[in-house]
Amino acid sequence: MIKTEDLKKVYTTEEVETTALNNVNFEVRHGEFVSIMGPSGCGKSTLLNLIGLLDNPSDGRYYFLDHEVSRYSERQRANLRKHNIGFVFQSFNLIDELTVFENIELPLLYQKVSSSERKKRVTEVMEQMQIMHRKNHFPQQLSGGQQQRVAVGRAVVGSPRLILADEPTGNLDSSHGEEVMKMLLDLNEAGTTIIMVTHSPTYAEYGHRVVHLFDGHIVTENLNGKFHV
Amino acid sequence: MFRNILKIFFRTIVRHRAYSLIHLLGLSIGLSSVLIIMLWIQEEIGYDRFHENAEQLYRVAFTYRPLGLSRYHQPGALSGYLKKHFPEIRESTFVSGGKHKLNRNNEGFSETGLYVEPDFFTMFSFPILSGDPRHVFDNVNSIVITEKLANRLFGQSDPLGQIITMDDNRSLAVSGVLKDIPRNTQFDFDFLVPFDLIAPYTNNWNAKSGLVYILLDTENRVDDVNAKIAGIIDGIRPEWENTLFLAPLARDRLYPVYGRGSIHYIYLFSSVAVLILLIACINYMNLSTARSERRLKEIAIRQAMGSRRIQLILQFLGESLSYTVLAMIFSLLLVEISLPAVNQFLNVHLSTRYSWPLIGLYGLIILFTGAAAGSYPAFYLSSFTVQRAMTSARFKTGGHAAFRKISVIVQFGLSVLFMISLFVINEQMDFIRNMSLGFDQENVILLSAGNKIRDNLDSVRNRLLEHTGVQQVTVSSNDMTGWTNSGPVMWTGLDPDANIEVGYNWVDENYLNTFRMQMADGRFFSEQFLSDADDAFVVNEEAVRQMGMKNPVGQEISTWFGRKGRIIGVVKDYHTAALHEPLQPAVLMLAKHEPYQVNYLCVRIERGNVRQMLQDLHTIVREIVPDDPVSFKFQDAAIQAQYETDERVQHLIQFSSIFALIVSCLGLLGLSAFNVQQRSREIGVRKVLGATVPLIAGLMARDYFKWILLGNVIAWPAAWIAMHKWLENFSFRMEITIWSFLTAGLATMMIALMTIGYQVMKAAMANPVVSLRDE
């Protein structure tokens, strides 16, 4: 599903040139659950942004669903993204001015899904995430766990093939963290590919594979043995 | 999607009330000033365009070739001549008029009337309420009155066929009633009477006694017609040296053939409105980009969800457009409410008449304002890549800081420009008010003299003088607001090429004392010299200068109308016209043998109860001429009225500088609040390291101080040029001093500092623990 060859990302400011990723070769197959670990500043988030088509690499190639997309235009990337990728962030990133329902609905609006269909799918997702009773609340009226459930709901409502989760449990206590991990596992069981960045070795274990990043390089890839082709 | 964006828009407004209010207020004030000025422009442009034939109506003007001057006055025979000889001219009318005395049941009224030809009723679109417009003047002894006059004269009863006496010597039957004439026309009258009544004296080529209007059969032949009529006067009165041409009626208000057309004010007022709107737009851009950090998360999320850049741009443009629509609604209300006050303040008569073109124009303004205000935020905010926006919760809006600086500089530059203009204009207006005119304009009442008063001049004068409150009485053919009788003067030694036009005025022996003027040489008219009434002239110093006389007293001069005599004295210069005009050379003579030249009785009264005085004067005049209308004016008020347009500009600039300053301060308020918020961490760190409150307040204020100073530097030369140009309107003007500039600069600085003061102090005095913790 995803394959990178010599992927490189360099950030240039006026005085400093920082290499965030250096010659990263990385592959994820359909249905995989991959955890990425590494210390702060090792390039985890950069890698996730490149994979998520939020940014273009400075060098190297990136195959997404067998298309070489590293030189795609903003428009082409947006198109691929909205139909294939769901995002979950550490800080939830819900829009404060929108209700739970409206936040989950947002990706569908960009996919131009009809109103009745949107209502149906959002309702389904809310039931799945057990936040139906919070439908008309605004994010700041919810607990952290609830907010992250909304965020996960928003990530899955468009039925993406790939979910990118950037420290989804980072801002949650352990019980809420478990809850979110459970959801991701369920989604993975149902066939969604998941790539998750985390600091927590425990949660990393949920993945089939743990990739360790250090200073922009992939250091090790541990197969957890849970993956069967 | 649209609903989603709209939802966010409204919820943001509600959640961030203060900022939203600043946005809305700023835009509303900017839009209101545009709306008001548009109403005014609509009024000005609409002048005489309501006539069905507006495009084919012309006023016949002429150019006096030796001086290249154009004017409108024409001889009475021209109208008939044109219609007879030029088939292109379908209809034409001569128009002349003035105040006339109308009597109905022994009650006298002084009303404005015009002598017109029958074509008048078909050429112009003044709706007739009763009577047949084609036949109202079939009988020469007819009069057509306006609805208002009809009510005054006849109340509820039917005016048609009723008899009105005009000037005590004509009985006229009412043959038609016109709907009251609208304000936006150059015609001003209460009644119309047939030209045929005065044709015996006027229908000739002897004198230019009125105006001629024509209706062309098709509009595109105006150049041909101009070519044909140009030489008419040369064939009849070659000595006049006049070239005729047609001046389109619909353009008259904006582009008159002489004097200042209102197009100048349209340009001036429009640029002022656009500038205020610009300040408001800059405000919007500034605040929304400054607060963009708050929006970055949303932008990032939308991008992650698959939004394209163009969609984000549209969203932000949509927001500014929605703000503009809200502000427009608010402004329309504001204008509706404030219009009476605005009318009074600017001395105009605006009304909110909405027409489709106007509504269309409002739409365009909304689009333009929305786009202008939203463009920068839209392109700026949408340019963030999702990952830049997402990862840097606290990134620096670096390049944008330059824009923010420039905007403050521009806004305050404009405010300073307005303020300096205001000070200079105020000074000039004070200068005008306080300048010595060479006579004492105060406490002089001018009583318009009709025929009956002229016939009883001596008894009216004597009776007035019996009143203890009356100090002096004199007569004059002109008041001090521009003399109408002017022409060449001749003397021995006159250079035949010189073109000296002097003003002529008929007075009596008390003129000098009544107006408290002073002699420079010789003596004034005196009853002791009986011959003064026949052959004596008093001139002013300017006349002596222009004629180039060494010893004027005793010199012989003669007027263009044939009066000859000697100069017996020179009066010190005095201003017979507004200070826009240079001093006019003046020639005075006694009116004793020409009482018909007397138009005013000038009464100098004691300072005191003016109302009582007017009533007494009224009673006295009424005793002698019982059924004559009595009309008074105050000399000082009449003089002041000449500066009406200047006062309008003064008020406009007052109004604009206040608006500009309010809007700029609103922007500054929002900006400083934001800035303080953004720098709270820095302030916290500084305080922890030992910075004191004044040090921090100074640090925060320094930037604004710098920008506003720079705004001043830019505004000063611009203001100097603008004001220099404005002052050129006046022949008599004060010097521009540095003080206006310094005061405006200091004032804006103070106001700006007060605006940001609260925010700055709040930030400086905040507990650093709080700011460091919650970051």
Side-chain angles (χ1 to χ4, degrees), chain B residues 293-305:
Chain B
E293 225 172 83
R294 230 189 40 75
R295 300 297 297 272
L296 288 181
K297 191 174 86 176
E298 182 193 333
I299 295 165
I301 295 166
R302 285 186 181 277
Q303 288 196 25
M305 302 290 129

Side-chain angles (χ1 to χ4, degrees), chain B residues 366-491:
Chain B
I366 292 180
L367 278 183
F368 172 79
T369 311
S375 57
Y376 187 73
F379 287 95
Y380 171 75
L381 290 177
S382 64
S383 72
F384 283 97
T385 60
V386 55
Q387 149 263 1
R388 221 176 111 210
M390 191 77 80
T391 49
S392 50
R394 186 167 34 251
F395 77 113
K396 289 286 169 213
T397 47
H400 163 67
F403 176 81
R404 210 177 303 163
K405 276 178 216 162
I406 291 170
S407 64
V408 173
I409 294 169
V410 170
Q411 287 185 320
F412 277 85
L414 288 176
S415 302
V416 170
L417 175 68
F418 283 132
M419 212 182 270
I420 294 174
S421 312
L422 176 63
F423 289 147
V424 173
I425 291 173
N426 280 349
E427 265 184 73
Q428 171 68 13
M429 296 309 278
D430 280 350
F431 175 81
I432 285 174
R433 267 176 221 121
N434 298 328
M435 183 169 162
S436 164
L437 299 177
F439 62 93
D440 185 356
Q441 57 173 314
E442 279 167 37
N443 301 313
V444 176
I445 292 175
L446 302 179
L447 168 61
S448 293
N451 280 335
K452 287 212 172 156
I453 293 180
R454 286 192 193 107
D455 293 344
N456 297 287
L457 217 46
D458 284 333
S459 51
V460 175
R461 179 166 34 202
N462 291 335
R463 282 284 287 113
L464 287 172
L465 281 169
E466 282 168 19
H467 192 290
T468 50
V470 173
Q471 295 181 338
Q472 256 121 17
V473 179
T474 186
V475 300
S476 174
S477 21
N478 295 291
D479 69 355
M480 299 291 195
T481 60
W483 287 3
T484 48
N485 310 9
S486 66
V489 61
M490 276 77 70
W491 70 94

Side-chain angles (χ1 to χ4, degrees), chain A residues 11 59 65 78 100 114 122 126 141 168 178:
Chain A
Y11 292 113
D59 201 4
L65 297 172
V100 166
S114 74
V122 173
M126 283 193 301
Q141 296 168 303
E178 291 278 349

Side-chain angles (χ1 to χ4, degrees), chain B residues 612-678:
Chain B
Q612 183 60 46
M613 196 66 212
L614 279 181
Q615 225 157 48
D616 294 351
L617 292 188
H618 198 266
T619 318
I620 293 169
V621 177
R622 263 290 153 85
E623 275 173 26
I624 303 167
V625 280
D627 51 358
D628 243 29
V630 184
S631 86
F632 296 108
K633 64 182 176 186
F634 287 91
Q635 179 65 75
D636 50 356
I639 287 174
Q640 201 49 48
Q642 300 175 104
Y643 304 106
E644 204 179 284
T645 46
D646 301 305
E647 272 173 359
R648 188 177 299 167
V649 172
Q650 183 184 20
H651 284 148
L652 174 82
I653 298 291
Q654 270 170 11
F655 162 95
S656 309
S657 40
I658 292 168
F659 271 23
L661 207 60
I662 291 177
V663 179
S664 304
C665 284
L666 276 176
L668 201 56
L669 188 72
L671 207 56
S672 62
F674 162 77
N675 217 5
V676 161
Q677 193 186 327
Q678 209 186 26

Side-chain angles (χ1 to χ4, degrees), chain B residues 301-321:
Chain B
I301 295 166
R302 285 186 181 277
Q303 288 196 25
M305 302 290 129
S307 167
R308 286 174 42 210
R309 187 173 175 204
I310 182 74
Q311 288 174 299
L312 288 171
I313 291 178
L314 288 178
Q315 176 180 354
F316 289 112
L317 280 178
E319 275 184 23
S320 63
L321 216 54

